[in-house]
Amino acid sequence: MTARWVGRFAALQHRFAVEVDPRGEGIVEDLRHVLAPLWQEGSGRLPTYRLGPVPGDNERWQLDLDDERVGERPSLGHAVAMLLWHVNYQAIQRSSRSHLLLHAGVVARNGQAVILPASMESGKATLVTALVERGWDYLSDEAALVTDDPLRVHAYPKPLSIDRGSHGLFPEVSARVRDLAGCAARQWHVPATDLRAHSIASAARPAAVVFPQHAPNQQPAWAPLARSQAMVRAANCTFQWDLDAPARFHDLGRLLRGVEHCATLQTGPLDETTALMETMLGPSPSRASR
Amino acid sequence: MVAEELDGQLVLLDEQTARLHVLNPTAALVWQCLDGEADVATLSAEIAEEVGADHDTVYRDVCDLVGRLAQDGLLEGYEPVDGGGATGEAGEHDSPDLQSPSSA
């Protein structure tokens, strides 16, 4: 039986195609929807992910990238999660070799980007989701690719990955989440256009570097940060820093000299946190609308 | 060692360890004057005259700063001199460890 074609996509410098064994046909449309912001036109062969059942097994599924086995998982939903993880991993590995790539969320308004560097479990995806709902444009919840001449941060509009612990914060989103064979029970994968139509920006000039910090039961607080201290924090959020530290060091210097604001942001309740950002950086021009 | 100046502070990258060091303006001035030929006494005298400060105080502070810079691997050819051990207000700096973030 012929595999079901999902499409061609580009995640930063990782260009790939996806197809699914006919026994997984039910998720093809959902995968297309979730990956739609990464959709790429064109022809010619690309490295292709294939989701298929493990031969001789009624439940386990495997993921291959061309001839290479990526892994096996106990269900289709787990295998879809592995696919999305591997896409992200390859995007970061390939794109951070020769560019400054920060582990960061990125939002923008009026062509001016706010880069939110933060470690895992820092709440940046939750903050980015809240900001996009409230009118900010979406560039990424994972990585900021920065180039200079001119200084720009480029979009990596992967589906927002919202962990189970944050699901209750976005009740209006829950009705639009695609199940992906049960993958959504653990983590939602939501294209930004499901939060707000036309919310994805392609690139923007970096205007601020803001380091979110999350601790339970805290009130939002903004604290300006010296560029030198921002350099240290941003270096800790730079993918593959060790690969070419001098180049990344100078890239960071150019970025930080080019932005108007460096600050830390203690996050709290989302309404208050986003309101504080708008107070410090100016209001978003449009509120959420669908 | 490569450097970036940001708002009057100097950030140094130790290329061997990939560690960063932040020098405040005073420490940055001292570091930039340490060209392998200057001695601490002469440097201190020049700084004291430039800023109008007490020479002995400046000398102690510069000795302390130089000692800490050497301890952090930012200097070569350092030989301790008497008169160190001041409180080090002239040149505090941070030396954080760096780890590349995981990708997913």
Side-chain angles (χ1 to χ4, degrees), chain A residues 85 88-89 92 120 142 227-229 232 235-242 245-246 249-250 253 257, chain B residues 2-7 9 11-13 15 18 20 22 94 96-104:
Chain A
W85 173 84
N88 187 51
Y89 174 78
I92 288 165
M120 291 173 62
E142 176 70 18
R227 283 177 167 74
S228 57
Q229 294 302 322
V232 173
N236 272 316
C237 295
T238 299
F239 288 114
Q240 300 204 77
W241 169 267
D242 290 345
F249 177 63
H250 291 308
R257 278 191 294 275
Chain B
V2 291
E4 284 277 344
E5 184 174 345
L6 294 166
D7 294 341
Q9 296 196 316
V11 184
L12 303 178
L13 168 69
E15 292 176 83
L20 296 185
V22 179
D94 299 318
D97 287 326
L98 294 177
Q99 297 175 349
S100 287
S102 57
S103 59

Side-chain angles (χ1 to χ4, degrees), chain B residues 23-69:
Chain B
L23 306 185
N24 66 21
T26 304
L29 175 63
V30 171
W31 188 83
Q32 287 169 329
C33 291
L34 295 172
D35 56 3
E37 296 182 5
D39 65 271
V40 171
T42 304
L43 179 59
S44 300
E46 291 175 355
I47 292 174
E49 182 175 349
E50 179 68 28
V51 303
D54 173 69
H55 176 269
D56 288 343
T57 301
V58 172
Y59 180 73
R60 279 197 303 273
D61 286 348
V62 171
C63 285
D64 183 64
L65 169 63
V66 170
R68 286 187 285 119
L69 290 172

Side-chain angles (χ1 to χ4, degrees), chain A residues 98-148:
Chain A
S98 54
H99 293 89
L100 176 63
L101 191 69
L102 296 171
H103 191 193
V106 191
V107 293
R109 52 30 181 322
N110 297 328
Q112 313 260 327
V114 179
I115 299 175
L116 303 160
S119 57
M120 291 173 62
E121 308 303 326
S122 62
K124 65 182 181 307
T126 300
L127 177 59
V128 168
T129 302
L131 288 166
V132 173
E133 273 199 320
R134 288 157 176 79
W136 292 72
D137 290 335
Y138 176 68
L139 282 88
S140 189
D141 72 340
E142 176 70 18
L145 189 147
V146 181
T147 58
D148 58 11

Side-chain angles (χ1 to χ4, degrees), chain A residues 19-289:
Chain A
E19 58 186 31
V20 179
D21 183 274
R23 278 164 284 185
E25 184 166 6
I27 66 159
V28 169
E29 191 50 44
D30 282 354
L31 263 181
R32 278 200 194 114
H33 179 83
V34 165
L35 293 174
L38 304 181
W39 182 272
Q40 189 177 50
E41 296 290 341
S43 59
R45 200 191 175 281
L46 290 175
T48 301
Y49 288 99
R50 189 171 191 279
L51 276 166
V54 172
D57 192 311
N58 288 332
E59 295 186 7
R60 295 181 65 81
W61 282 71
Q62 63 193 34
L63 175 67
D64 297 309
L65 178 59
D66 285 344
D67 295 332
E68 182 181 329
R69 174 64 42 81
V70 176
E72 294 182 9
R73 289 295 184 268
S75 73
L76 176 56
H78 285 92
V80 169
M82 180 169 57
L83 165 68
L84 297 174
W85 173 84
H86 197 265
V87 165
N88 187 51
Y89 174 78
Q90 287 289 311
I92 288 165
Q93 287 296 106
R94 291 167 192 246
S95 308
S96 56
R97 288 172 193 157
S98 54
H99 293 89
L100 176 63
L101 191 69
L102 296 171
H103 191 193
V106 191
V107 293
R109 52 30 181 322
N110 297 328
Q112 313 260 327
V114 179
I115 299 175
L116 303 160
S119 57
M120 291 173 62
E121 308 303 326
S122 62
K124 65 182 181 307
T126 300
L127 177 59
V128 168
T129 302
L131 288 166
V132 173
E133 273 199 320
R134 288 157 176 79
W136 292 72
D137 290 335
Y138 176 68
L139 282 88
S140 189
D141 72 340
E142 176 70 18
L145 189 147
V146 181
T147 58
D148 58 11
D149 197 24
L151 191 62
R152 286 290 182 273
V153 57
H154 299 268
Y156 170 32
K158 61 175 281 294
L160 290 112
S161 303
I162 305 172
D163 289 336
R164 182 159 47 194
S166 295
H167 291 178
L169 299 172
F170 305 106
E172 293 187 6
V173 176
S174 63
R176 299 174 221 140
V177 172
R178 302 298 175 109
D179 184 59
L180 295 172
C183 175
R186 293 171 295 279
Q187 187 177 54
W188 291 350
H189 298 277
V190 181
T193 43
D194 275 4
L195 300 177
R196 188 170 58 81
H198 312 297
S199 59
I200 297 176
S202 58
R205 187 187 77 78
V209 177
V210 178
F211 297 84
Q213 302 165 168
H214 177 71
N217 304 316
Q218 295 293 315
Q219 286 302 305
W222 178 279
L225 190 64
R227 283 177 167 74
S228 57
Q229 294 302 322
M231 165 75 91
V232 173
R233 289 185 182 230
N236 272 316
C237 295
T238 299
F239 288 114
Q240 300 204 77
W241 169 267
D242 290 345
L243 204 62
D244 192 353
R248 300 293 85 80
F249 177 63
H250 291 308
D251 289 340
L252 272 181
R254 283 188 287 270
L255 169 64
L256 293 170
R257 278 191 294 275
V259 300
E260 283 89 62
H261 304 278
C262 292
T264 60
L265 172 65
Q266 174 65 52
T267 60
L270 288 177
D271 283 341
E272 295 172 42
T273 302
T274 53
L276 178 58
M277 272 192 65
E278 292 184 356
T279 297
M280 302 311 297
L281 298 171
S284 173
S286 62
R287 304 296 296 175
S289 60

